[in-house]
Structure formats: C-alpha cells, structure tokens
C-alpha cells in the first residue's frame, strides 16, 4: 500500500471502511442494471463518468494508502477511466441473432464477484455487457468496494447519474413504506417500557456477544461452515414480483413492508432446507438483517450527504446488524405460513427498541482502539460467518430510470465477499420487488432455492387472502 508524501492532507478512512478492507474482509457491492434497448454505442461512457460520476465524491477518485502512523487515508489520484471500464466478449459458438446469453452472464457475474479490485487505482469498475438476456437487451454492472460507502450512499450516487425516462426535468420519487405506529410511542409509554427495554438490551447484547464469539449456526443446506471463504465462488439469481402483492399482505396483517419480505424469505429458506433435508427443519439458523442507522426517509442530495458529515444523512457506512432467528418449520407454521411474517415483525420490533445495536458498535470501536483494526475486523468476520445469511434492502425509484437515453428495464444489487453461503438483497423499482440472492457455488442449488422463494410468496399470498376484511 502506497505511503503518504510529506504535507499531503487527506480524508481518513472510516473505521467501518477499514474493517471492510482488512485481511479478514473485503466486501463489494454489485449494482446491476438491465437495459431496455441494445447497448450499441458506448461512446458516452467516458464523458458521463467524468462529468457526473467522479464529481459525486472524492473517494471515486482516490486510492487507500497508509500514513506514517499506519492509519489508512484516502489519497486523491488522477483517474484513468479506461482502466475502470470492462466490456466482456462472450464466445457463443452460435451465430444466431436470437441467442440469449443468460448462462454466459451468470458465469461472468460469478467471476467478477470474487475478483479483488487493484489497490493502485480507485475501488470501482463499470462492466458493460452488450449481449441480450431474457431480462434485458444489455446489462450494466457497477462494482464498488463497500469501503466507498454503504448501499444508501451508493444508491444516491447512482441515482444522481440517472434521469427519468419519461420526464428528464423531474426528480425521482420513492414508494411509500410507512410502518404502523406503535401504540406506546409517547414519552409516558417509553418510561413504562424502560424495564423491558433494559432486559431486552441485556439479552440481545449478550446473545450478540455469544453469536460473534462462541455459538455458530448449525451446519445446514444453506450453511456449509467452510473455513476457506476467500476463494468461494457464488451463483447469483433473483425472483421478481409486484409491489402490490406485498402491500396486500401488509394491509391484511398490519405490519411493515420489510416484515412481509422478511417472512417470505424466512419461509422460503425453510422450504428449501426441508426439500434438501427433512431433519433440517429443526436446525438453528440466524439471519443478520441490515439496519440503516440514519434517522431519515428517502435519499438526500449528494451535496448534502458529502458536506454534512456529522448529520443523519452523511455519506459513508452507517448501518448495523440485527440478529434475527429464522423460525423453525413446524407443522402448525407450515399450515399457517403467516406466522413467519408475524414472528419476523415481533422479533425485529423488539430488537429495534433495545440498545444492543449501539452497544455492539461501541464494543467494536473499543476493540479497534485497544487491539487495532484487524482485531475488530476479525470480530465482524466472525459475526458474519457464524450466521446463516445476511439480508439487506434498498428502495429504488417508482419511475423508470435512463442513462445516456437508454431506459433501465430492471435493477437490483448484490453484496459479494461475505463469508456466508447465502447472501440476500431486496430492491424495489418501478412497482416491482426484486429479491436477489448469492449462493455458494456447488453447495446451494440455485434453481431449487429460487423456486422455494416463489412457492413461499404464492403460499403466503393465498393464506393472506383467506383473512376476512
């Protein structure tokens, strides 16, 4: 790693950014956009990146180096954009113009997901895939290192490079995902709940310590527990369905959109596990649900994110994990799968009211100060590895996006580099929900897992429609 020249002033890398670029962890975000039209002329790529993308944040033009004390800093460099643009060539052996390249794209995505970006240039790449698939006439893949920012920051950055396909002059709007108000949200109710909040905090914080240090999830059809995770290849796939279906279940049960989605995922996971091994229905599995710790609604302007570094909307990595047990698949729950949603709702609501999350953040920071960044990164790695999956979600615009006058037909993201065998993400875009998943290659059956999620949605929809208004 390059050293700092005398007199240079640079922005320090955040503690989370250092954890995510350690010897234990190197996490990437893949933002995937499927185009409605063929990508024939890519001549606008360089000016778009130069004029729109690079000015968003200095980190997109910076490399990570160490100062004389060994602390990591962001150093501004001259960006050779040509080095960051990749245009793959697929050898099909078939000259048919009607050929679809889904399998080729899947293999390519699996390959770039595990490749590390060179440290001597800014930590991002743009892959332009000009071949048609069943989901789009072309595919754009932004690969960004997680140290550059979390999903919230990077989503705001990507949206600032896009424009509305219908009316360029108008801003994007986001779908409403209001959560039902809790009946005791006032101050008096809070004081009444302090004893239970205290007990919940002690319980959650203690459980978090045990899960990160001593207790692993069971080895199951979704968790291989393999030691060598750095060379693990993943297969990426997804399921897509109407946002209206999720809102229908939400209104029937009086829970949040995220509760419904978590319940669908948990039930789908259990369906897959039982299909692979009946005895796994009683195995203990945990999901790490990613929580955005910003107290805001919607994406702020990029200028506001970058300038207001101490505000709730500041650029960077501002998130925390909630340890949520995946409900076991008992006969009663199979008969009424809505229990998966209700249990997810209750568990996540309880954990949000405890102070275990900020205490865990304080513990990680204390560990960093006393034993160094690598020790804190190993603790975070252990937290991830001892669980069965992570679930993260982002909200996309209601309107169709376009870049360089090419409408974007589909949009999702994936997190790569995590030590689990299963990583899941949720994305809303144009009235659709996209649940994407990265599964350990040659361990999890991608097609069977996909059908399990689809069956989960169908069964839950049918069960919700049985509820009388």
């Amino acid at each position: 790693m390059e050293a700092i020249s005398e007199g240079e002033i640079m922005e320090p890398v955040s503690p989370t950014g250092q954890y995510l670029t350690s010897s234990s962890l190197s996490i990437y975000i893949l933002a995937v956009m499927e185009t409605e039209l063929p990508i024939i002329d890519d001549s606008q790529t360089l000016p778009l990146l130069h004029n729109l993308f690079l000015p968003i944040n200095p980190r997109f033009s910076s490399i990570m180096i160490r100062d004389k004390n060994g602390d990591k800093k962001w150093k501004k460099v001259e960006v050779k954009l040509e080095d960051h643009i990749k245009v793959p060539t697929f050898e099909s052996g078939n000259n048919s113009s009607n050929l679809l390249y889904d399998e080729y794209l899947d293999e390519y995505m699996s390959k770039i997901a595990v490749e590390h970006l060179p440290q001597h240039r800014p930590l991002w790449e743009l892959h332009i895939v000009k071949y048609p698939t069943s989901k789009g006439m072309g595919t754009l893949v932004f690969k960004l290192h997680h140290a550059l920012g979390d999903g919230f920051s990077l989503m705001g950055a990507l949206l600032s490079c896009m424009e509305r396909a219908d009316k360029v002059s108008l801003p994007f709007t986001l779908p409403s995902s209001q959560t039902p108000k809790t009946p005791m949200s006032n101050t008096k109710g809070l004081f009444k709940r302090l004893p239970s909040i205290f007990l919940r905090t002690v319980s959650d914080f203690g459980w978090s310590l045990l899960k990160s240090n001593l207790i692993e999830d069971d080895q199951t059809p979704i968790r291989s527990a393999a030691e060598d995770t750095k060379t693990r290849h993943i297969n990426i796939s997804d399921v897509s369905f109407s946002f209206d279906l999720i809102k229908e279940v939400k209104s029937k049960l009086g829970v949040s959109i995220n509760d419904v989605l978590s319940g669908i995922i948990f039930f789908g996971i259990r369906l897959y596990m039982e299909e692979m091994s009946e005895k796994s229905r009683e195995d203990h599995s945990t999901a790490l649900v990613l929580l955005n710790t910003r107290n805001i609604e919607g994406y702020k302007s990029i200028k506001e994110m970058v300038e207001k570094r101490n505000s709730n909307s500041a650029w960077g990595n501002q998130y925390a994990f909630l340890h949520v047990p995946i409900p076991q698949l008992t006969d009663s729950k199979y008969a009424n799968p809505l229990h998966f949603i209700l249990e997810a709702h209750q568990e996540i609501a309880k954990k949000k009211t405890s102070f275990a999350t900020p205490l865990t953040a304080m513990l990680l920071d204390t560990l960093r100060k006393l034993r160094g960044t690598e020790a804190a990164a190993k603790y975070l790695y252990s937290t991830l590895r001892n669980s069965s999956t992570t679930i993260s979600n982002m909200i996309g615009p209601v309107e169709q996006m376009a870049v360089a006058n090419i409408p974007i037909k589909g949009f999702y993201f994936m997190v790569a580099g995590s030590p689990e065998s299963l990583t899941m993400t949720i994305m809303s875009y144009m009235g659709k929900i996209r649940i994407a998943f990265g599964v350990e290659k040659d361990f999890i059956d991608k097609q069977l897992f996909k059908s399990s999620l689809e069956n989960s949605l169908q069964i839950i929809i049918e069960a919700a429609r049985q509820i009388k208004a």
Side-chain angles (χ1 to χ4, degrees):
M1 190 173 283
E2 189 177 333
I4 297 180
S5 302
E6 191 70 29
E8 283 188 276
I9 300 176
M10 277 152 294
E11 177 189 3
V13 177
S14 69
T16 303
Q18 296 185 53
Y19 307 153
L20 299 176
T21 52
S22 65
S23 61
S24 301
L25 286 170
S26 185
I27 309 293
Y28 295 92
I29 297 175
L30 305 178
V32 184
M33 292 164 279
E34 297 145 350
T35 64
E36 198 167 85
L37 301 175
I39 306 174
I40 299 173
D41 179 14
D42 59 5
S43 61
Q44 295 187 56
T45 304
L46 289 177
L48 281 172
L49 290 173
H50 184 269
N51 298 325
L52 291 179
F53 181 71
L54 292 186
I56 288 172
N57 193 290
R59 296 182 192 179
F60 296 148
S61 304
S62 302
I63 61 173
M64 201 177 287
I65 49 84
R66 292 187 183 275
D67 64 13
K68 61 183 179 181
N69 298 318
D71 297 326
K72 290 182 179 180
K73 299 288 180 68
W74 292 108
K75 178 184 178 181
K76 187 93 169 175
V77 296
E78 182 180 349
V79 182
K80 296 180 179 179
L81 290 173
E82 296 85 353
D83 294 340
H84 294 261
I85 301 170
K86 310 296 180 182
V87 184
T89 300
F90 298 155
E91 297 294 338
S92 67
N94 189 329
N95 295 322
S96 172
S97 60
N98 296 321
L99 181 67
L100 295 179
Y101 290 80
D102 294 65
E103 291 185 11
Y104 296 90
L105 180 61
D106 289 348
E107 284 298 318
Y108 185 73
M109 293 281 290
S110 178
K111 172 177 170 288
I112 66 173
V114 297
E115 289 179 342
H116 290 282
L117 295 178
Q119 298 295 305
H120 64 274
R121 64 186 187 221
L123 299 173
W124 62 269
E125 285 180 344
L126 172 61
H127 298 257
I128 304 175
V129 182
K130 297 183 178 183
Y131 298 89
T133 67
S134 60
K135 297 176 182 176
M137 298 301 295
T139 307
L140 302 174
V141 183
F142 254 109
K143 181 176 181 178
L144 307 111
H145 201 288
H146 214 318
L148 296 170
D150 58 14
F152 179 91
S153 299
L154 298 176
M155 174 60 70
L158 289 178
L159 287 180
S160 71
C161 297
M162 303 286 173
E163 57 190 18
R164 279 181 54 163
D166 57 347
K167 295 182 180 179
V168 176
S169 60
L170 295 180
F172 291 110
T173 56
L174 302 175
S176 173
S177 59
Q178 294 180 347
T179 304
K181 301 294 183 182
T182 55
M184 299 181 68
S185 57
N186 54 57
T187 305
K188 184 178 179 180
L190 178 62
F191 279 114
K192 287 183 178 180
R193 288 184 295 156
L194 278 178
S196 63
I197 291 175
F198 175 76
L199 292 174
R200 168 59 64 175
T201 299
V202 172
S203 174
D204 288 346
F205 184 60
W207 179 242
S208 176
L209 287 175
L210 289 173
K211 286 295 295 178
S212 296
N213 292 282
L214 299 173
I215 301 177
E216 293 185 26
D217 278 3
D218 293 331
Q219 186 172 347
T220 67
I222 65 164
R223 183 173 186 269
S224 68
E227 292 294 335
D228 185 14
T229 61
K230 292 184 178 180
T231 59
R232 173 186 292 167
H233 283 70
I234 64 172
N235 286 324
I236 299 171
S237 188
D238 66 274
V239 294
S240 179
F241 42 84
S242 170
F243 204 163
D244 289 338
L245 290 176
I246 304 303
K247 289 190 284 188
E248 180 182 346
V249 179
K250 169 186 176 292
S251 62
K252 290 277 189 177
L253 298 181
V255 296
S256 72
I257 292 291
N258 284 340
D259 294 334
V260 177
L261 292 170
S262 297
I264 290 171
I265 287 173
F266 290 165
F267 185 44
I269 285 174
R270 285 297 182 181
L271 289 177
Y272 173 81
M273 289 172 64
E274 184 174 51
E275 183 72 22
M276 298 298 292
S277 171
E278 284 191 19
K279 67 177 183 179
S280 68
R281 64 158 49 195
E282 296 182 357
D283 286 339
H284 294 281
S285 300
T286 307
L288 289 176
V289 179
L290 213 63
L291 178 68
N292 183 358
T293 57
R294 297 173 176 85
N295 186 26
I296 58 174
E297 291 185 7
Y299 300 104
K300 300 297 180 181
S301 70
I302 296 301
K303 182 178 180 182
E304 185 176 354
M305 280 189 194
V306 175
E307 292 181 352
K308 297 186 177 180
R309 299 187 184 277
N310 297 319
S311 74
N312 285 325
S313 62
W315 183 282
N317 282 289
Q318 298 186 45
Y319 62 88
F321 291 117
L322 298 179
H323 289 268
V324 180
I326 300 175
Q328 294 177 340
L329 185 60
T330 61
D331 290 336
S332 61
K333 286 175 185 170
Y334 190 85
N336 185 6
L338 299 180
H339 280 302
F340 279 85
I341 296 174
L342 297 175
E343 285 194 31
H345 166 72
Q346 293 170 1
E347 193 67 33
I348 293 173
K350 287 178 182 177
K351 291 184 181 296
K352 283 184 176 180
T353 59
S354 85
F355 294 101
T357 296
L359 283 176
T360 301
M362 290 171 61
L363 171 68
L364 204 60
D365 195 51
T366 301
L367 186 62
R368 176 182 64 86
K369 291 175 180 176
L370 294 178
R371 298 181 55 194
T373 299
E374 286 294 332
K378 286 180 181 178
Y379 183 91
L380 182 56
Y381 169 86
S382 180
T383 301
L384 293 166
R385 186 188 175 278
N386 289 355
S387 67
S388 295
T389 185
T390 53
I391 303 174
S392 52
N393 70 81
M394 287 193 286
I395 301 173
V398 173
E399 300 84 13
Q400 186 172 33
M401 304 182 299
V403 58
N405 296 318
I406 299 177
I408 303 301
K409 182 180 180 182
F411 189 22
Y412 69 94
F413 74 102
M414 179 48 57
V415 178
S418 187
E420 297 106 326
S421 299
L422 173 64
T423 302
M424 306 200 67
T425 65
I426 305 168
M427 182 83 200
S428 66
Y429 176 56
M430 289 177 61
K432 295 283 187 180
I433 293 286
R434 198 92 168 255
I435 299 179
F437 49 91
V439 299
E440 182 177 340
K441 200 170 185 178
D442 300 323
F443 177 69
I444 295 178
D445 187 321
K446 179 178 71 173
Q447 292 302 324
L448 182 58
F449 191 84
K450 179 176 180 176
S451 65
S452 297
L453 286 177
E454 291 171 338
N455 290 339
S456 170
L457 172 67
Q458 189 61 40
I459 294 170
I460 283 176
I461 291 294
E462 290 176 359
R465 287 174 176 170
Q466 299 301 314
I467 300 175
K468 296 181 180 180

Short mmCIF file of all heavy atoms in Angstrom, two decimals, residues 398-436:
data_model
loop_
_atom_site.label_atom_id
_atom_site.label_comp_id
_atom_site.label_asym_id
_atom_site.label_seq_id
_atom_site.Cartn_x
_atom_site.Cartn_y
_atom_site.Cartn_z
N VAL A 398 -39.79 4.94 -8.22
CA VAL A 398 -41.04 4.46 -8.81
C VAL A 398 -40.98 4.57 -10.33
O VAL A 398 -41.47 3.70 -11.06
CB VAL A 398 -42.24 5.27 -8.26
CG1 VAL A 398 -43.53 4.90 -8.98
CG2 VAL A 398 -42.37 5.06 -6.76
N GLU A 399 -40.37 5.66 -10.82
CA GLU A 399 -40.31 5.90 -12.26
C GLU A 399 -39.14 5.14 -12.89
O GLU A 399 -38.17 4.80 -12.21
CB GLU A 399 -40.16 7.39 -12.56
CG GLU A 399 -41.28 8.25 -12.03
CD GLU A 399 -41.09 8.63 -10.58
OE1 GLU A 399 -39.97 8.44 -10.05
OE2 GLU A 399 -42.06 9.10 -9.95
N GLN A 400 -39.23 4.94 -14.18
CA GLN A 400 -38.16 4.28 -14.91
C GLN A 400 -36.96 5.21 -15.04
O GLN A 400 -37.09 6.40 -15.33
CB GLN A 400 -38.63 3.85 -16.30
CG GLN A 400 -37.59 3.02 -17.05
CD GLN A 400 -38.14 2.44 -18.35
OE1 GLN A 400 -38.97 3.04 -19.00
NE2 GLN A 400 -37.67 1.25 -18.72
N MET A 401 -35.77 4.66 -14.81
CA MET A 401 -34.53 5.40 -14.96
C MET A 401 -34.02 5.26 -16.39
O MET A 401 -34.38 4.33 -17.11
CB MET A 401 -33.46 4.88 -14.00
CG MET A 401 -33.84 4.87 -12.54
SD MET A 401 -32.47 4.30 -11.49
CE MET A 401 -32.21 2.64 -12.11
N ALA A 402 -33.16 6.20 -16.76
CA ALA A 402 -32.48 6.12 -18.05
C ALA A 402 -31.07 6.69 -17.89
O ALA A 402 -30.84 7.60 -17.09
CB ALA A 402 -33.24 6.88 -19.13
N VAL A 403 -30.14 6.14 -18.64
CA VAL A 403 -28.78 6.66 -18.68
C VAL A 403 -28.36 6.71 -20.14
O VAL A 403 -28.53 5.75 -20.88
CB VAL A 403 -27.82 5.79 -17.83
CG1 VAL A 403 -27.81 4.35 -18.31
CG2 VAL A 403 -26.42 6.37 -17.82
N ALA A 404 -27.85 7.86 -20.56
CA ALA A 404 -27.46 8.07 -21.95
C ALA A 404 -28.59 7.71 -22.91
O ALA A 404 -28.38 7.09 -23.95
CB ALA A 404 -26.20 7.26 -22.28
N ASN A 405 -29.81 8.07 -22.52
CA ASN A 405 -31.03 7.84 -23.31
C ASN A 405 -31.38 6.37 -23.46
O ASN A 405 -32.19 6.00 -24.33
CB ASN A 405 -30.91 8.48 -24.70
CG ASN A 405 -30.79 10.00 -24.61
OD1 ASN A 405 -31.49 10.64 -23.84
ND2 ASN A 405 -29.88 10.56 -25.41
N ILE A 406 -30.81 5.52 -22.64
CA ILE A 406 -31.14 4.10 -22.65
C ILE A 406 -31.97 3.80 -21.40
O ILE A 406 -31.48 3.90 -20.28
CB ILE A 406 -29.88 3.21 -22.67
CG1 ILE A 406 -29.06 3.48 -23.93
CG2 ILE A 406 -30.26 1.74 -22.58
CD1 ILE A 406 -27.76 2.69 -23.99
N PRO A 407 -33.25 3.44 -21.55
CA PRO A 407 -34.09 3.13 -20.39
C PRO A 407 -33.59 1.88 -19.66
O PRO A 407 -33.13 0.92 -20.28
CB PRO A 407 -35.48 2.90 -20.99
CG PRO A 407 -35.42 3.52 -22.36
CD PRO A 407 -34.01 3.36 -22.81
N ILE A 408 -33.68 1.93 -18.33
CA ILE A 408 -33.29 0.79 -17.50
C ILE A 408 -34.53 -0.03 -17.18
O ILE A 408 -35.47 0.44 -16.53
CB ILE A 408 -32.62 1.27 -16.19
CG1 ILE A 408 -31.39 2.14 -16.50
CG2 ILE A 408 -32.23 0.08 -15.33
CD1 ILE A 408 -30.33 1.45 -17.32
N LYS A 409 -34.53 -1.27 -17.65
CA LYS A 409 -35.69 -2.15 -17.52
C LYS A 409 -35.76 -2.83 -16.15
O LYS A 409 -36.84 -3.00 -15.57
CB LYS A 409 -35.63 -3.21 -18.62
CG LYS A 409 -36.79 -4.17 -18.66
CD LYS A 409 -36.60 -5.17 -19.80
CE LYS A 409 -37.74 -6.17 -19.88
NZ LYS A 409 -37.52 -7.15 -20.96
N GLY A 410 -34.61 -3.26 -15.64
CA GLY A 410 -34.54 -3.94 -14.35
C GLY A 410 -33.36 -3.46 -13.54
O GLY A 410 -32.36 -2.99 -14.10
N PHE A 411 -33.45 -3.59 -12.21
CA PHE A 411 -32.43 -3.03 -11.34
C PHE A 411 -32.38 -3.85 -10.05
O PHE A 411 -33.40 -4.07 -9.41
CB PHE A 411 -32.80 -1.57 -11.05
CG PHE A 411 -31.74 -0.78 -10.32
CD1 PHE A 411 -30.41 -1.15 -10.32
CD2 PHE A 411 -32.10 0.37 -9.62
CE1 PHE A 411 -29.45 -0.41 -9.67
CE2 PHE A 411 -31.14 1.12 -8.96
CZ PHE A 411 -29.82 0.74 -8.98
N TYR A 412 -31.20 -4.34 -9.69
CA TYR A 412 -31.03 -5.00 -8.40
C TYR A 412 -29.57 -4.87 -7.98
O TYR A 412 -28.73 -4.36 -8.73
CB TYR A 412 -31.46 -6.47 -8.48
CG TYR A 412 -30.57 -7.38 -9.30
CD1 TYR A 412 -29.55 -8.12 -8.72
CD2 TYR A 412 -30.77 -7.52 -10.68
CE1 TYR A 412 -28.75 -8.96 -9.47
CE2 TYR A 412 -29.98 -8.36 -11.43
CZ TYR A 412 -28.97 -9.08 -10.82
OH TYR A 412 -28.17 -9.90 -11.57
N PHE A 413 -29.27 -5.32 -6.77
CA PHE A 413 -27.88 -5.26 -6.30
C PHE A 413 -27.55 -6.54 -5.55
O PHE A 413 -28.42 -7.29 -5.13
CB PHE A 413 -27.65 -4.02 -5.41
CG PHE A 413 -28.25 -4.12 -4.03
CD1 PHE A 413 -27.46 -4.41 -2.93
CD2 PHE A 413 -29.62 -3.91 -3.82
CE1 PHE A 413 -28.01 -4.50 -1.66
CE2 PHE A 413 -30.18 -3.98 -2.55
CZ PHE A 413 -29.36 -4.28 -1.46
N MET A 414 -26.27 -6.80 -5.41
CA MET A 414 -25.79 -7.96 -4.69
C MET A 414 -24.54 -7.57 -3.90
O MET A 414 -23.74 -6.75 -4.35
CB MET A 414 -25.47 -9.11 -5.67
CG MET A 414 -24.92 -10.39 -5.03
SD MET A 414 -25.82 -10.99 -3.58
CE MET A 414 -27.48 -11.18 -4.25
N VAL A 415 -24.39 -8.17 -2.73
CA VAL A 415 -23.21 -7.97 -1.90
C VAL A 415 -22.32 -9.20 -2.05
O VAL A 415 -22.79 -10.33 -1.90
CB VAL A 415 -23.61 -7.77 -0.42
CG1 VAL A 415 -22.35 -7.61 0.45
CG2 VAL A 415 -24.53 -6.55 -0.28
N ALA A 416 -21.06 -8.99 -2.36
CA ALA A 416 -20.12 -10.09 -2.59
C ALA A 416 -18.94 -9.98 -1.63
O ALA A 416 -18.51 -8.89 -1.28
CB ALA A 416 -19.62 -10.07 -4.03
N GLY A 417 -18.42 -11.14 -1.22
CA GLY A 417 -17.25 -11.17 -0.35
C GLY A 417 -17.56 -11.54 1.08
O GLY A 417 -16.65 -11.71 1.90
N SER A 418 -18.84 -11.67 1.43
CA SER A 418 -19.23 -12.06 2.77
C SER A 418 -18.97 -13.55 2.97
O SER A 418 -19.10 -14.33 2.02
CB SER A 418 -20.71 -11.74 3.00
OG SER A 418 -21.07 -11.94 4.34
N PRO A 419 -18.63 -13.99 4.19
CA PRO A 419 -18.25 -15.40 4.39
C PRO A 419 -19.41 -16.39 4.46
O PRO A 419 -19.17 -17.59 4.54
CB PRO A 419 -17.50 -15.37 5.73
CG PRO A 419 -18.05 -14.18 6.46
CD PRO A 419 -18.33 -13.17 5.39
N GLU A 420 -20.67 -15.93 4.42
CA GLU A 420 -21.79 -16.87 4.47
C GLU A 420 -21.97 -17.58 3.13
O GLU A 420 -21.53 -17.11 2.09
CB GLU A 420 -23.11 -16.15 4.80
CG GLU A 420 -23.13 -15.50 6.15
CD GLU A 420 -23.03 -14.00 6.03
OE1 GLU A 420 -22.33 -13.53 5.10
OE2 GLU A 420 -23.64 -13.30 6.83
N SER A 421 -22.69 -18.70 3.18
CA SER A 421 -23.02 -19.43 1.95
C SER A 421 -24.18 -18.80 1.21
O SER A 421 -24.42 -19.11 0.04
CB SER A 421 -23.37 -20.89 2.28
OG SER A 421 -22.29 -21.54 2.89
N LEU A 422 -24.94 -17.92 1.89
CA LEU A 422 -26.13 -17.32 1.31
C LEU A 422 -26.19 -15.84 1.66
O LEU A 422 -26.13 -15.48 2.84
CB LEU A 422 -27.39 -18.03 1.82
CG LEU A 422 -28.75 -17.43 1.45
CD1 LEU A 422 -28.98 -17.47 -0.05
CD2 LEU A 422 -29.88 -18.17 2.18
N THR A 423 -26.30 -15.00 0.65
CA THR A 423 -26.47 -13.56 0.84
C THR A 423 -27.70 -13.12 0.08
O THR A 423 -27.88 -13.49 -1.08
CB THR A 423 -25.24 -12.78 0.32
OG1 THR A 423 -24.07 -13.24 0.99
CG2 THR A 423 -25.40 -11.29 0.58
N MET A 424 -28.55 -12.31 0.73
CA MET A 424 -29.81 -11.92 0.11
C MET A 424 -29.97 -10.40 0.13
O MET A 424 -29.58 -9.73 1.09
CB MET A 424 -30.99 -12.58 0.82
CG MET A 424 -30.85 -14.09 0.91
SD MET A 424 -32.40 -14.94 1.21
CE MET A 424 -33.27 -14.63 -0.31
N THR A 425 -30.53 -9.86 -0.95
CA THR A 425 -30.79 -8.42 -1.04
C THR A 425 -32.20 -8.20 -1.58
O THR A 425 -32.75 -9.04 -2.29
CB THR A 425 -29.78 -7.72 -1.97
OG1 THR A 425 -29.97 -8.21 -3.32
CG2 THR A 425 -28.35 -7.97 -1.54
N ILE A 426 -32.75 -7.05 -1.23
CA ILE A 426 -34.11 -6.69 -1.66
C ILE A 426 -34.05 -5.31 -2.31
O ILE A 426 -33.43 -4.40 -1.77
CB ILE A 426 -35.09 -6.66 -0.48
CG1 ILE A 426 -35.06 -7.99 0.27
CG2 ILE A 426 -36.50 -6.34 -0.95
CD1 ILE A 426 -35.78 -7.94 1.62
N MET A 427 -34.70 -5.17 -3.46
CA MET A 427 -34.70 -3.90 -4.18
C MET A 427 -36.08 -3.64 -4.76
O MET A 427 -36.70 -4.54 -5.34
CB MET A 427 -33.68 -3.97 -5.32
CG MET A 427 -33.54 -2.71 -6.13
SD MET A 427 -32.42 -1.56 -5.32
CE MET A 427 -32.91 -0.04 -6.11
N SER A 428 -36.57 -2.41 -4.59
CA SER A 428 -37.82 -2.02 -5.25
C SER A 428 -37.50 -1.10 -6.41
O SER A 428 -36.60 -0.27 -6.33
CB SER A 428 -38.75 -1.31 -4.26
OG SER A 428 -38.20 -0.07 -3.86
N TYR A 429 -38.22 -1.28 -7.52
CA TYR A 429 -38.00 -0.45 -8.70
C TYR A 429 -39.20 -0.57 -9.63
O TYR A 429 -39.62 -1.68 -9.97
CB TYR A 429 -36.72 -0.87 -9.43
CG TYR A 429 -36.44 -0.14 -10.72
CD1 TYR A 429 -36.35 1.26 -10.74
CD2 TYR A 429 -36.26 -0.83 -11.92
CE1 TYR A 429 -36.10 1.94 -11.93
CE2 TYR A 429 -36.00 -0.15 -13.10
CZ TYR A 429 -35.92 1.24 -13.11
OH TYR A 429 -35.67 1.91 -14.28
N MET A 430 -39.78 0.55 -10.00
CA MET A 430 -40.90 0.60 -10.95
C MET A 430 -42.06 -0.32 -10.55
O MET A 430 -42.62 -1.03 -11.38
CB MET A 430 -40.40 0.23 -12.35
CG MET A 430 -39.53 1.27 -13.02
SD MET A 430 -38.94 0.70 -14.64
CE MET A 430 -40.49 0.46 -15.52
N GLY A 431 -42.41 -0.31 -9.27
CA GLY A 431 -43.55 -1.10 -8.81
C GLY A 431 -43.28 -2.58 -8.68
O GLY A 431 -44.20 -3.38 -8.50
N LYS A 432 -42.01 -2.98 -8.77
CA LYS A 432 -41.62 -4.37 -8.62
C LYS A 432 -40.68 -4.53 -7.43
O LYS A 432 -39.94 -3.61 -7.08
CB LYS A 432 -40.91 -4.88 -9.88
CG LYS A 432 -41.77 -4.92 -11.13
CD LYS A 432 -42.72 -6.10 -11.12
CE LYS A 432 -43.45 -6.24 -12.45
NZ LYS A 432 -44.38 -7.40 -12.44
N ILE A 433 -40.74 -5.71 -6.83
CA ILE A 433 -39.78 -6.09 -5.79
C ILE A 433 -38.86 -7.16 -6.38
O ILE A 433 -39.32 -8.12 -6.99
CB ILE A 433 -40.48 -6.66 -4.55
CG1 ILE A 433 -41.30 -5.57 -3.84
CG2 ILE A 433 -39.46 -7.26 -3.58
CD1 ILE A 433 -40.49 -4.56 -3.09
N ARG A 434 -37.58 -6.97 -6.20
CA ARG A 434 -36.58 -7.92 -6.69
C ARG A 434 -35.82 -8.47 -5.49
O ARG A 434 -35.13 -7.72 -4.79
CB ARG A 434 -35.64 -7.20 -7.65
CG ARG A 434 -34.82 -8.09 -8.57
CD ARG A 434 -35.52 -8.31 -9.89
NE ARG A 434 -34.63 -8.93 -10.86
CZ ARG A 434 -34.08 -8.28 -11.87
NH1 ARG A 434 -34.32 -6.99 -12.05
NH2 ARG A 434 -33.31 -8.92 -12.74
N ILE A 435 -35.97 -9.75 -5.22
CA ILE A 435 -35.16 -10.40 -4.18
C ILE A 435 -34.04 -11.15 -4.89
O ILE A 435 -34.29 -12.11 -5.62
CB ILE A 435 -35.99 -11.36 -3.32
CG1 ILE A 435 -37.11 -10.61 -2.59
CG2 ILE A 435 -35.10 -12.07 -2.30
CD1 ILE A 435 -37.98 -11.51 -1.73
N ALA A 436 -32.82 -10.67 -4.71
CA ALA A 436 -31.66 -11.32 -5.33
C ALA A 436 -30.93 -12.14 -4.27
O ALA A 436 -30.99 -11.84 -3.08
CB ALA A 436 -30.72 -10.28 -5.93
#
